[in-house]
Amino acid sequence: MSMKTAFKAIAIGLILALAPVSAQYGFAQNLRVLSNGTSSALRVPMNRAVVVESDVPFAELSIANPAIADISTLSDRTVYVLGKTPGRTTLTLLNAEGRLITNVDVQVVPDIAEFKERIDQILPGEGIEVRTANDGIVLSGTVSSIISLDAALELAERYSPGRVSNLMSVGGTQQVMLKVRFAEMSRSVSKTLSSSIAVASNRFRGETGTYLDGANGIGQDLTVGSSSQGAFGFSFGGNSLRLEVLLEALESKGVVRTLSEPNLTALSGQEASFLAGGEYPVPVQDDDGISIEYKDFGVELNFLPRVLADEVINIELNAAVSSIDSSIGATQSGISVDGFSRREAQTTVQLRDGESFAIAGLLEDDFRDVSAQVPFLGDIPVLGALFRSAEYNRDQTELVIIITAHLVSPVRGEALALPTDRVTLPTEREFFLFGKVAGDGPTGAAGEIARQDFSGSYGYVMED
């Protein structure tokens, strides 16, 4: 047996072995070429082969685009066609006289047989339907989550790059409402105690502390420090020798509570943003002079939700609270610009419907004390307090950010209530005669809900 005959036998054996697999997914395996034309167009899976049989012997054949399909003759009536790249080309058969027998339309399509196997292995139970269209892949059906949809599309791109049509839909609830709570408590305590003395006689004069400021002096009105709210002064002696003592004290306390609760709803896989605040103008030097840029401040929220399988919600979140702080501002070229105090958290979490996470917590405790004294004199027991000044500051801040995610569906507009539903404009009679700044309330379903009083016990109560 010659090598050529052996090669043909092996090729025919491979074709017959692959025939059941390809026939299972609807690919034509044998195409008969008749004397007056072909029975149908030839569809060849990529990286697979089919056989073309001719009723009449041919002497010559050619393929228009060898990059799309490759051909090999098995006999004078049989052609072996191998699909290489998705696309269309033409197979031409000529007889011994050089006349045209027929032109066969060859279409190489992606091998969806292997693709279906990979889909069933990677995404079992998703029910994704795979079809070919022209030289691409069409995906249809309903998947459980946007993650499964993205995975199917990414896998299809490997088999048919740039030629994937997505007709899939995501089942279940795919809208996420995110509730974010910012809670911040700030407490500050400041205490200041300073003392100064002035001694004067006919021959000398000495001052310490506040007595060195302004026009303070023996026998003159005292000028206390701008940061002092309480001052006490007393003097001893006469005109020949006089001693004056000035005590200044200040204690301040402050508590600040900040709470904001922004809510935002977005579709799974789509980013949403929220800003409740404003824009602050900031001068910026450029080639044309000074221009104005605006910087956002207030409550900011950006998040990207993804609903996974079993209603698990994956959230990429960026939340921030900022405010204008003049204490950290700057002045340049006579222009004063305030700074910003900003608390921000950026993270990714995964939770179920109705569950919450405390995604950020900050406990800040700043302590500072300063003591100043006259050298040596400030070290004298008891009396040394007259030559010392002390300042004590302590700032404590605690911040917690809590997020709660809910899967939501739209409802009819009548079921939603607004803060303005409980308030109506007064009539002229109600305003001028009775001094009412609001009317008697809305009518209809909204008014009925607004007039209900839910204070105290209500509903069904079961007691043992």
Side-chain angles (χ1 to χ4, degrees):
M1 180 183 295
S2 64
M3 293 296 294
K4 184 177 181 180
T5 306
F7 172 76
K8 291 182 180 181
I10 294 173
I12 293 174
L14 291 174
I15 293 170
L16 295 176
L18 293 174
V21 178
S22 299
Q24 178 183 359
Y25 295 99
F27 293 117
Q29 289 304 304
N30 295 281
L31 181 67
R32 296 192 63 189
V33 178
L34 308 177
S35 59
N36 57 351
T38 58
S39 59
S40 64
L42 182 64
R43 299 177 73 242
V44 185
M46 187 174 64
N47 297 324
R48 293 183 182 271
V50 298
V51 174
V52 177
E53 295 180 346
S54 177
D55 283 358
V56 294
F58 55 84
E60 184 179 351
L61 72 161
S62 63
I63 191 76
N65 190 346
I68 295 178
D70 197 4
I71 58 175
S72 176
T73 58
L74 302 178
S75 68
D76 60 351
R77 294 176 181 266
T78 309
V79 183
Y80 179 83
V81 182
L82 174 66
K84 299 172 66 177
T85 304
R88 286 180 177 271
T89 187
T90 302
L91 173 63
T92 302
L93 284 77
L94 303 177
N95 60 17
E97 290 78 17
R99 293 182 179 180
L100 177 67
I101 299 176
T102 186
N103 287 322
V104 180
D105 184 16
V106 180
Q107 179 184 4
V108 179
V109 296
D111 184 7
I112 64 173
E114 181 183 358
F115 177 56
K116 281 186 175 182
E117 294 177 3
R118 296 297 175 263
I119 283 287
D120 293 338
Q121 293 172 359
I122 298 174
L123 301 171
E126 288 294 346
I128 300 175
E129 300 178 3
V130 183
R131 297 181 178 89
T132 59
N134 197 2
D135 57 349
I137 294 177
V138 178
L139 302 179
S140 60
T142 302
V143 295
S144 60
S145 66
I146 191 68
I147 301 299
S148 298
L149 186 145
D150 292 339
L153 291 177
E154 183 178 355
L155 184 60
E157 283 290 334
R158 293 183 176 272
Y159 286 87
S160 183
R163 296 183 297 274
V164 179
S165 298
N166 176 27
L167 300 180
M168 295 182 292
S169 60
V170 181
T173 303
Q174 296 297 311
Q175 295 184 106
V176 179
M177 184 188 73
L178 189 67
K179 180 180 181 180
V180 182
R181 287 176 287 173
F182 298 86
E184 182 177 20
M185 289 292 295
S186 178
R187 184 172 73 96
S188 61
V189 177
S190 176
K191 297 180 180 180
T192 302
L193 176 63
S194 63
S195 61
S196 56
I197 61 175
V199 181
S201 68
N202 296 332
R203 295 185 179 182
F204 68 89
R205 178 177 177 175
E207 298 176 352
T208 64
T210 307
Y211 269 104
L212 298 174
D213 299 336
N216 290 340
I218 296 295
Q220 299 181 7
D221 295 335
L222 295 177
T223 302
V224 298
S226 59
S227 61
S228 298
Q229 298 295 325
F232 175 73
F234 54 92
S235 62
F236 305 93
N239 295 331
S240 59
L241 178 63
R242 191 174 184 86
L243 171 66
E244 292 188 356
V245 179
L246 175 62
L247 299 177
E248 299 175 81
L250 172 64
E251 180 179 3
S252 61
K253 299 179 181 179
V255 176
V256 177
R257 175 178 180 267
T258 302
L259 181 65
S260 59
E261 296 187 10
N263 297 338
L264 191 61
T265 301
L267 187 66
S268 175
Q270 301 295 321
E271 186 176 4
S273 61
F274 175 92
L275 172 64
E279 294 182 331
Y280 181 75
V282 178
V284 177
Q285 182 74 35
D286 55 19
D287 297 337
D288 298 329
I290 297 178
S291 60
I292 299 296
E293 291 186 0
Y294 290 89
K295 182 177 179 61
D296 296 336
F297 70 92
V299 179
E300 301 175 58
L301 175 62
N302 295 274
F303 82 105
L304 176 63
R306 293 186 179 90
V307 181
L308 310 180
D310 299 329
E311 295 187 346
V312 176
I313 307 172
N314 178 280
I315 297 176
E316 296 180 14
L317 175 69
N318 187 356
V321 178
S322 58
S323 58
I324 301 175
D325 189 351
S326 59
S327 63
I328 55 176
T331 302
Q332 185 174 3
S333 301
I335 301 176
S336 179
V337 180
D338 294 331
F340 286 84
S341 176
R342 184 177 179 89
R343 283 80 69 199
E344 181 178 3
Q346 184 174 0
T347 185
T348 300
V349 295
Q350 193 165 291
L351 65 170
R352 292 185 179 273
D353 180 22
E355 294 181 340
S356 300
F357 262 126
I359 62 168
L362 171 65
L363 179 61
E364 185 178 3
D365 193 347
D366 294 333
F367 173 78
R368 179 172 60 90
D369 61 352
V370 178
S371 178
Q373 66 178 25
V374 177
F376 306 113
L377 297 180
D379 297 329
I380 300 175
V382 183
L383 293 179
L386 299 176
F387 301 92
R388 288 197 302 266
S389 62
E391 181 178 353
Y392 166 92
N393 291 280
R394 187 172 186 179
D395 297 317
Q396 293 176 308
T397 302
E398 184 173 6
L399 171 67
V400 176
I401 302 178
I402 300 175
I403 65 167
T404 304
H406 296 280
L407 293 175
V408 295
S409 299
V411 298
R412 295 184 62 86
E414 297 81 2
L416 301 177
L418 299 175
T420 55
D421 290 342
R422 295 176 178 267
V423 180
T424 59
L425 296 177
T427 63
E428 294 183 357
R429 176 174 172 272
E430 291 173 337
F431 180 73
F432 289 105
L433 295 183
F434 300 100
K436 294 183 178 181
V437 295
D440 292 333
T443 59
E448 188 66 26
I449 296 175
R451 286 189 291 271
Q452 294 181 12
D453 184 10
F454 295 102
S455 60
S457 300
Y458 63 92
Y460 296 91
V461 180
M462 300 182 64
E463 298 180 355
D464 296 333

